[in-house]
Amino acid sequence: MVAATACRHEPPWSSPVHTYRHQQQLFAGLQVKSGAQQVLLERIANEQEHSVRRAMADVVASVAHLTLPQGQWPGLLEFLHQCSRADSAEHREVGLLLFAALFETIGDTLQPHAASILQAVAASISHPSDLVQTAALSVIEPLLPYMTDAQVPAFHALLGALLPCAQAALVAQNEDLLGHMCQVLVEVAECPAPLLQPCLQQVLEMCMTIATNKHFESNTREQALQLLQWMAKFKPKQLTRHKLLMCAIVEALCEMCCEPTPPDYDDAQELPPQKVAAQALDVLALSLNSQHVVPACWQFVQAAASSPDMHRRAAAMMVCAVSAEGCSEALRKRLPQVLPLLLTALQDPEGDVRGVAAFALGQFSEYLQPEILEHYTEVMPGVFRLLGDPNHDVQERACYALDAFCENLEPSEILPYMPQLVEQLLLVLQNGKPGVQEMALSAVSSIASAAQQAFQPHTAVMLPVLHHFMQHPGKEYLDCRCRAIESAGIIVGALGAEDPVISPHINGMMEVALQGFSLTDSPDLRDHSHAMFAHIAKALGEKFAGWLPRVVPLAFQSCNQEDGQVADVDDSDDIDDDDDIVSDDDDSEDHGGGRHFNVRTGVMDEKMSATAALGSYAKACPHAFMPYVEQTLSTLAGMSNYWHDEARAAAYDSLQKLTLAIHRVFTPSTSTSVAIAAAGPVVLSEQCRVLVEAAMPSLTSPVEDDVSKVAVTAAAAALGHLLKELGQGAVGPIHLEAAANMAKALLENKAMCQEAEDDDEEGDAGDDEELAAEDEELLAAAADLLPALALSMGQDAYAPVFRSLHVEPLIARLKPQQPIALRAIAAGAVAEVAEKLGARMAPVVPTLLPLLLRELQSSVSGL
């Protein structure tokens, strides 16, 4: 074996080029002079020692990598086929392993033989030897990239052989083999060819049989669910064709959620079965239409919520929690029936049940808006009880529920509960563990944001506590520091810097946060500090000027730091366009280029907060900000091309704030936007004109090159605000034309971000509601552009533009088949334009008036 291994080891002094040429010369010479290749094959055929045989196979693979593509080993493939069909399990294993190794290195050479190799794999998959079966499975993954449509039938035959093998492995409780099969099937599912379609139901049934087997290890069961989750995410239509199967799968996952945690469970190595099942349910709820998930879930919840078994009661709450986001619309309709079960579980004698119920309430508070808020009189007392729960995990989840629920309450709704809320949270902050305290501080932020001025009576007791956490040195309290800084900024923003209780604390808040930049290397801490600085700048206004020399350079540092990401991505070079592959049309995806990442990182959040803070500083104290204008403009230009859409959105908003700050500094103070508009065309200062020339292309171009609706919405909103504030005549005709075309594209659904969505899979995705909200925000920003254009261009100039570019798209948006919310936005846009144009609106009134009258007669509220 040592000699066999040495044959393929290169001398340590050899360069890669030298070694490659040396091996080529060596083995070519051996082939001619001594028949070394034949010797290798004979040794493999006759060797009895398994380890030596495997080592010799490695040597054969190394030699074949160099010789087979040049046609210098013509008998090798025939030898491998003979091995893979041999009676001897040892020979079969070697032949199959060599096929796998060669597909990994010289797959193009083996591609013409793929069909016959698939037949060999199918013949070996049912072999009684585990080694042969494992070797056969190892061929499949490296072979997949070389599949063509001509070889799909052969693969289907292989699947037909694999399923009985899986059944036998289930009977034998062979977890290793079953886990390997599940891994291979995920790779098969990812192949563009429709390889699983004929057997998908049987494959999924097999996976669920493995996943629900309580005798198997948690890792094996988790592997079995990976195929289901992958199919739900990327090929949901294929799943939902099997309606009865999907119902059975959801029922099985609900039952898995009832399992207790195994006594030998190691949370550092694996997930317990109930969490694995909850994770899979979450993916199904997010990816499939709720009709495939909610009925079975609701049937389970109704029965399990009142079960004498605490594990079933906890599972009922977990099923509610993980389905809240993906099935929010369906759960809103069932909220009157679901919420009483949840509120009852908040009082369950078992802490585990109370904790999961509190988590479910938090999920409901996040995703079942606004309907959940109508029940605040029922929800708030239940949460209060849990804040004093002796179980720290329950306390933490209660704080999360309180945070999520209070964030969207009106001041009048939260006011009656303020004394008890603050009292309970102060107790948690004084006595809780760091994780619980972090959630309590987050709840303080939400309560202060919701209460606004109603929080004022409680600032005297809360601010010292916040100050304590803001400067806590312990590493385990870093998240608490971040949350305390966040809360302090929100309280200052809600109550104002002139508040007699807050005012003495502001300098201390600023100093503590600034020290964090030099003492602690934490993107999260810097993120929340930038946000707090922005809140305080807004509250202080020009009085914040003294802090600019210290905070602005920190914002630049955050924006300009490296994070290993790129702004524009074109992965077309990574896509192998194999015309021979028959793709599944129902689930095809377009992974083309463009700025489309949305993965969150700590550095990304820091950059976004710093970018937004720069705009806030410019707006708060424009005169003092002038020395930083040039570097800020350069920084915002870079951030407007950043890879994350929320950071780009912050850059667009800050760009308009910077431009308007320059306008205020270099325009007479008496010239408000209204006065300017009334006095006639605005003549910009040279300084402002330079900023406008830089800002306008940055705000209009995203409609053509940004695939994110969030970013394009921010750009359109910033553009509309800028046009309104600058006034008539301030922006040149070229830029106004670009703005008018931007509005037209958005109204017509022809912006890149809208076309990118049209190109995406048309399936059962569970995020339709989120997309609808993005559509509404985008259309609202486009609609706001129209009156802004009327103001900036003037009535006479905009009237023909409105008739030629914007009337027809608005008419299309007012059609009955359009969503109600979008029709309401379009009707509002017509009204605002009519107010600006006056009599110049007359030519289009006969066309628009019947549509508006129909909306007035609509029985739907909001129109």
Side-chain angles (χ1 to χ4, degrees):
M1 184 174 69
V2 175
T5 305
C7 287
R8 59 189 180 89
H9 280 183
E10 61 186 67
W13 44 264
S14 297
S15 70
V17 173
H18 176 86
T19 301
Y20 180 81
R21 290 174 178 171
H22 174 72
Q23 288 181 339
Q24 277 190 316
Q25 294 168 359
L26 173 63
F27 288 120
L30 286 173
Q31 180 186 12
V32 174
K33 296 178 181 179
S34 61
Q37 295 167 338
Q38 186 61 31
V39 170
L40 287 173
L41 299 184
E42 290 174 358
R43 284 292 308 275
I44 288 177
N46 298 319
E47 179 60 54
Q48 299 300 312
E49 182 66 35
H50 182 266
S51 58
V52 176
R53 191 168 57 250
R54 290 289 298 270
M56 295 300 299
D58 290 342
V59 176
V60 170
S62 297
V63 177
H65 171 66
L66 300 172
T67 59
L68 197 60
Q70 282 76 39
Q72 297 177 1
W73 202 339
L76 176 62
L77 291 180
E78 178 58 30
F79 173 81
L80 296 182
H81 277 295
Q82 291 175 2
C83 282
S84 64
R85 291 181 170 85
D87 294 334
S88 164
E90 292 79 5
H91 290 150
R92 282 206 183 203
E93 180 197 18
V94 168
L96 293 166
L97 290 176
L98 277 171
F99 276 136
L102 294 178
F103 267 112
E104 288 178 353
T105 57
I106 52 172
D108 289 335
T109 302
L110 266 65
Q111 197 276 336
H113 309 278
S116 59
I117 295 173
L118 281 171
Q119 292 174 0
V121 172
S124 298
I125 204 74
S126 55
H127 195 278
S129 167
D130 285 354
L131 292 176
V132 174
Q133 290 177 327
T134 301
L137 290 172
S138 71
V139 180
I140 296 174
E141 182 179 346
L143 183 148
L144 291 174
Y146 304 98
M147 288 285 300
T148 66
D149 57 340
Q151 290 144 6
V152 169
F155 194 91
H156 289 165
L158 168 61
L159 270 184
L162 185 145
L163 289 171
C165 174
Q167 292 299 325
L170 279 167
V171 172
Q173 304 284 289
N174 190 336
E175 288 192 53
D176 290 338
L177 185 62
L178 290 170
H180 196 172
M181 285 183 181
C182 292
Q183 291 175 355
V184 169
L185 287 170
V186 172
E187 298 297 329
V188 172
E190 294 179 5
C191 185
L195 300 180
L196 286 181
Q197 280 186 359
C199 303
L200 180 60
Q201 178 165 340
Q202 297 94 312
V203 168
L204 289 173
E205 288 172 346
M206 178 201 77
C207 289
M208 291 306 301
T209 301
I210 299 170
T212 55
N213 190 319
K214 297 179 182 180
H215 300 293
F216 287 162
E217 296 291 332
S218 293
N219 284 336
T220 304
R221 302 174 71 182
E222 183 177 4
Q223 286 177 332
L225 290 177
Q226 288 177 354
L227 175 64
L228 173 68
Q229 295 181 59
W230 192 94
M231 293 292 294
K233 288 179 181 178
F234 301 107
K235 297 190 176 182
K237 278 191 173 181
Q238 290 191 22
L239 282 184
T240 54
R241 288 174 187 147
H242 304 279
K243 292 181 172 59
L244 294 178
L245 174 62
M246 286 309 304
C247 181
I249 286 174
V250 173
E251 291 173 351
L253 292 175
C254 289
E255 289 297 326
M256 278 185 70
C257 289
C258 300
E259 295 184 30
T261 301
D264 57 347
Y265 163 64
D266 181 3
D267 60 355
Q269 301 293 328
E270 59 186 0
L271 287 176
Q274 72 270 27
K275 290 187 178 180
V276 170
Q279 188 179 70
L281 266 179
D282 185 32
V283 172
L284 293 183
L286 288 168
S287 305
L288 308 182
N289 190 287
S290 61
Q291 67 181 353
H292 301 291
V293 179
V294 169
C297 285
W298 175 233
Q299 185 175 3
F300 169 80
V301 168
Q302 285 179 296
S306 58
S307 170
D309 183 348
M310 63 155 289
H311 298 295
R312 296 191 71 81
R313 298 197 304 274
M317 295 300 101
M318 181 56 71
V319 169
C320 289
V322 298
S323 58
E325 182 179 3
C327 302
S328 56
E329 185 174 354
L331 285 177
R332 282 196 191 95
K333 298 175 181 177
R334 296 179 185 264
L335 190 58
Q337 292 78 43
V338 180
L339 189 59
L341 301 178
L342 192 153
L343 295 175
T344 299
L346 292 178
Q347 304 177 61
D348 195 280
E350 297 291 340
D352 287 347
V353 180
R354 296 195 303 274
V356 180
F359 174 63
L361 179 59
Q363 292 285 287
F364 278 26
S365 301
E366 283 197 62
Y367 301 114
L368 305 191
Q369 297 283 350
E371 287 80 0
I372 186 70
L373 298 179
E374 298 173 4
H375 302 273
Y376 71 94
T377 57
E378 306 160 64
V379 170
M380 296 295 280
V383 178
F384 285 151
R385 284 190 294 269
L386 296 188
L387 289 176
D389 199 286
N391 186 314
H392 288 290
D393 290 338
V394 175
Q395 276 191 350
E396 182 175 350
R397 293 179 177 183
C399 289
Y400 159 64
L402 187 65
D403 178 17
F405 191 81
C406 291
E407 186 175 10
N408 295 290
L409 286 177
E410 295 294 329
S412 60
E413 295 170 335
I414 200 172
L415 182 59
Y417 304 99
M418 286 296 298
Q420 190 175 358
L421 271 174
V422 173
E423 179 184 354
Q424 291 289 334
L425 288 173
L426 283 173
L427 287 175
V428 173
L429 291 172
Q430 291 166 3
N431 305 312
K433 292 183 177 181
V436 182
Q437 291 171 326
E438 180 202 350
M439 293 307 304
L441 288 165
S442 183
V444 170
S445 298
S446 294
I447 292 167
S449 179
Q452 293 294 306
Q453 290 295 324
F455 196 82
Q456 202 282 333
H458 309 284
T459 53
V461 294
M462 188 59 72
L463 287 180
V465 177
L466 295 181
H467 195 271
H468 164 75
F469 282 105
M470 286 173 68
Q471 55 185 347
H472 202 296
K475 290 184 178 179
E476 69 274 22
Y477 283 91
L478 180 59
D479 290 336
C480 290
R481 286 177 67 185
C482 294
R483 292 300 182 185
I485 289 172
E486 176 189 56
S487 298
I490 290 173
I491 291 172
V492 173
L495 301 181
E498 302 302 322
D499 182 89
V501 177
I502 289 178
S503 182
H505 288 272
I506 287 180
N507 286 347
M509 293 177 183
M510 291 292 299
E511 291 294 347
V512 168
L514 286 166
Q515 289 172 11
F517 281 81
S518 57
L519 299 179
T520 307
D521 183 15
S522 167
D524 291 335
L525 191 64
R526 294 191 292 269
D527 164 30
H528 289 93
S529 297
H530 287 306
M532 189 193 79
F533 297 156
H535 278 297
I536 294 177
K538 180 180 179 181
L540 287 176
E542 290 285 0
K543 295 179 182 179
F544 189 77
W547 296 102
L548 290 181
R550 301 178 67 182
V551 300
V552 173
L554 294 176
F556 289 150
Q557 289 176 18
S558 293
C559 290
N560 295 326
Q561 68 178 311
E562 293 293 331
D563 62 358
Q565 303 293 340
V566 294
D568 293 296
V569 174
D570 182 358
D571 40 352
S572 58
D573 292 338
D574 297 328
I575 298 174
D576 184 12
D577 294 323
D578 189 346
D579 292 334
D580 293 330
I581 292 293
V582 179
S583 298
D584 183 353
D585 295 334
D586 292 335
D587 297 293
S588 62
E589 295 182 279
D590 181 8
H591 296 289
R595 298 176 295 186
H596 60 283
F597 288 109
N598 60 5
V599 179
R600 299 196 72 90
T601 68
V603 172
M604 188 288 294
D605 287 328
E606 176 190 348
K607 288 192 171 192
M608 181 180 67
S609 293
T611 301
L614 288 172
S616 298
Y617 302 153
K619 182 177 181 179
C621 36
H623 290 84
F625 196 78
M626 288 304 102
Y628 309 103
V629 168
E630 185 175 349
Q631 189 172 356
T632 299
L633 183 61
S634 174
T635 300
L636 294 180
M639 292 306 298
S640 66
N641 287 293
Y642 190 64
W643 60 270
H644 199 282
D645 56 359
E646 292 183 23
R648 299 197 299 276
Y652 299 144
D653 183 59
S654 290
L655 188 57
Q656 64 89 6
K657 289 177 179 175
L658 178 66
T659 305
L660 292 176
I662 297 289
H663 184 51
R664 286 195 292 273
V665 170
F666 294 100
T667 300
S669 58
T670 56
S671 300
T672 65
S673 60
V674 176
I676 291 171
V682 174
V683 178
L684 297 179
S685 64
E686 179 61 22
Q687 296 90 338
C688 188
R689 187 189 63 77
V690 171
L691 261 293
V692 168
E693 289 297 317
M696 289 299 294
S698 296
L699 297 179
T700 56
S701 62
V703 74
E704 299 176 347
D705 60 21
D706 200 316
V707 298
S708 165
K709 290 183 178 180
V710 171
V712 177
T713 297
L719 177 60
H721 188 71
L722 186 62
L723 293 178
K724 289 179 182 178
E725 290 298 313
L726 291 179
Q728 182 178 345
V731 178
I734 294 178
H735 298 311
L736 289 175
E737 181 182 359
N741 288 330
M742 179 182 193
K744 179 177 184 290
L746 292 172
L747 292 173
E748 291 180 335
N749 232 39
K750 291 183 178 179
M752 173 175 276
C753 62
Q754 294 162 320
E755 292 180 339
E757 179 186 307
D758 292 340
D759 291 339
D760 283 344
E761 175 188 336
E762 182 186 351
D764 297 293
D767 57 354
D768 290 344
E769 188 167 345
E770 181 180 348
L771 293 175
E774 289 183 358
D775 287 338
E776 291 175 25
E777 293 172 4
L778 184 59
L779 185 62
D784 287 343
L785 267 179
L786 305 187
L789 283 165
L791 175 64
S792 184
M793 298 175 73
Q795 294 176 329
D796 291 334
Y798 180 61
V801 173
F802 178 69
R803 292 194 296 270
S804 62
L805 296 183
H806 300 149
V807 169
E808 287 301 324
L810 286 173
I811 291 173
R813 291 288 189 177
L814 286 168
K815 290 182 178 179
Q817 59 266 37
Q818 285 285 307
I820 297 167
L822 301 188
R823 297 205 314 267
I825 293 170
V830 172
E832 289 197 52
V833 172
E835 183 181 1
K836 292 288 187 296
L837 294 186
R840 295 165 183 79
M841 192 78 172
V844 297
V845 167
T847 303
L848 291 171
L849 187 58
L851 302 176
L852 297 175
L853 290 174
R854 184 187 63 215
E855 298 302 331
L856 285 174
Q857 296 168 359
S858 172
S859 61
V860 181
S861 62
L863 288 177

